[in-house]
Amino acid sequence: AQSVTQLDSQVPVFEEAPVELRCNYSSSVSVYLFWYVQYPNQGLQLLLKYLSGSTLVKGINGFEAEFNKSQTSFHLRKPSVHISDTAEYFCAVTPLSGGYNKLIFGAGTRLAV
Amino acid sequence: GAVVSQHPSWVICKSGTSVKIECRSLDFQATTMFWYRQFPKQSLMLMATSNEGSKATYEQGVEKDKFLINHASLTLSTLTVTSAHPEDSSFYICSAREVAGREQYFGPGTRLTVT
């Protein structure tokens, strides 16, 4: 079974400051990892994903994340945030086996700029 | 590309009535569609997985007779909340995975309020 822990329920940050949203996961099998953003009353939009290859992944809106297998982490970073980045951010994993079906989400982190 | 739509975006219904929510993949064929429920300030909870042409697979604790799912084509899945009650009020989000795809594309969600 897999689980995802987002260590911070809310992260307040000043505009133009850097931010890191933390995500740790637990899994007995290899997984793919994702970060999604959700604006109020909307669905989820994919920010970035790690499937394989380089552990540093760049996504949309200036976000990037680094996969650290030894620490089972996939933290999301942005060097300079804007007010428009205020939203809920979800980290998710899916096991490589099983047809990529089940996405397991973390509880979410509210980024307040 | 990879756009998923939901209809309606919001709906208010009376207790005891049924309501249908549609999920469509607009520019790709979706072998598999997923239905999630999200309570305020909480994460998404997977309710069921539907594969085109076969019965949906429900997660533990989700009543299949209450939440009817139909995936009749590669671009459309529907969720019907039968005999709705106020506790069914929630934000329902669908997602779709294209054939041989590895990621899910999410719809904009449907806000259901049962009075």
Side-chain angles (χ1 to χ4, degrees):
Chain A
Q2 293 76 37
S3 66
V4 178
T5 302
Q6 291 182 243
L7 297 163
D8 305 297
S9 59
Q10 185 163 320
V11 174
V13 61
F14 288 108
E15 192 174 21
E16 297 184 8
V19 70
E20 178 180 82
L21 305 183
R22 296 180 292 170
C23 172
N24 287 86
Y25 70 93
S26 172
S27 177
S28 56
V29 300
S30 295
V31 295
Y32 293 138
L33 299 110
F34 306 84
W35 273 100
Y36 289 90
V37 60
Q38 184 180 34
Y39 298 101
N41 295 309
Q42 295 187 29
L44 273 66
Q45 180 182 7
L46 180 67
L47 275 178
L48 48 78
K49 60 188 176 187
Y50 174 77
L51 304 181
S52 65
S54 173
T55 57
L56 182 62
V57 181
K58 293 189 183 298
I60 63 171
N61 301 342
F63 284 94
E64 64 179 33
E66 186 155 18
F67 170 55
N68 188 318
K69 189 174 182 179
S70 62
Q71 297 186 4
T72 61
S73 68
F74 191 53
H75 300 333
L76 180 70
R77 302 186 186 98
K78 186 169 183 177
S80 176
V81 297
H82 302 288
I83 289 179
S84 59
D85 292 322
T86 295
E88 192 81 22
Y89 291 79
F90 292 98
C91 180
V93 303
T94 188
L96 269 64
S97 60
Y100 321 114
N101 266 348
K102 197 162 183 173
L103 267 177
I104 296 96
F105 286 92
T109 297
R110 170 84 177 158
L111 176 61
V113 181
Chain B
V3 177
V4 176
S5 71
Q6 280 184 243
H7 178 79
S9 56
W10 60 270
V11 57
I12 301 173
C13 70
K14 290 187 176 181
S15 187
T17 62
S18 297
V19 61
K20 181 185 287 188
I21 302 170
E22 292 185 349
C23 176
R24 293 181 185 272
S25 56
L26 299 185
D27 51 2
F28 67 98
Q29 293 186 325
T31 313
T32 307
M33 289 186 169
F34 307 85
W35 287 96
Y36 296 85
R37 184 173 180 176
Q38 185 180 32
F39 292 102
K41 301 186 186 302
Q42 293 188 29
S43 189
L44 279 73
M45 180 192 78
L46 179 65
M47 299 174 65
T49 302
S50 74
N51 292 295
E52 187 265 339
S54 62
K55 289 185 178 180
T57 302
Y58 290 81
E59 295 298 303
Q60 191 172 9
V62 178
E63 298 176 60
K64 62 180 181 180
D65 294 330
K66 180 168 186 60
F67 299 99
L68 301 179
I69 291 173
N70 183 278
H71 192 164
S73 77
L74 285 173
T75 59
L76 173 65
S77 176
T78 60
L79 168 68
T80 301
V81 183
T82 62
S83 186
H85 288 98
E87 56 265 32
D88 297 325
S89 298
S90 191
F91 195 52
Y92 292 88
I93 303 175
C94 75
S95 70
R97 181 171 65 85
E98 58 187 331
V99 177
R102 288 176 292 185
E103 63 181 89
Q104 297 178 26
Y105 302 98
F106 286 81
T110 296
R111 173 77 58 194
L112 170 64
T113 301
V114 184
T115 61

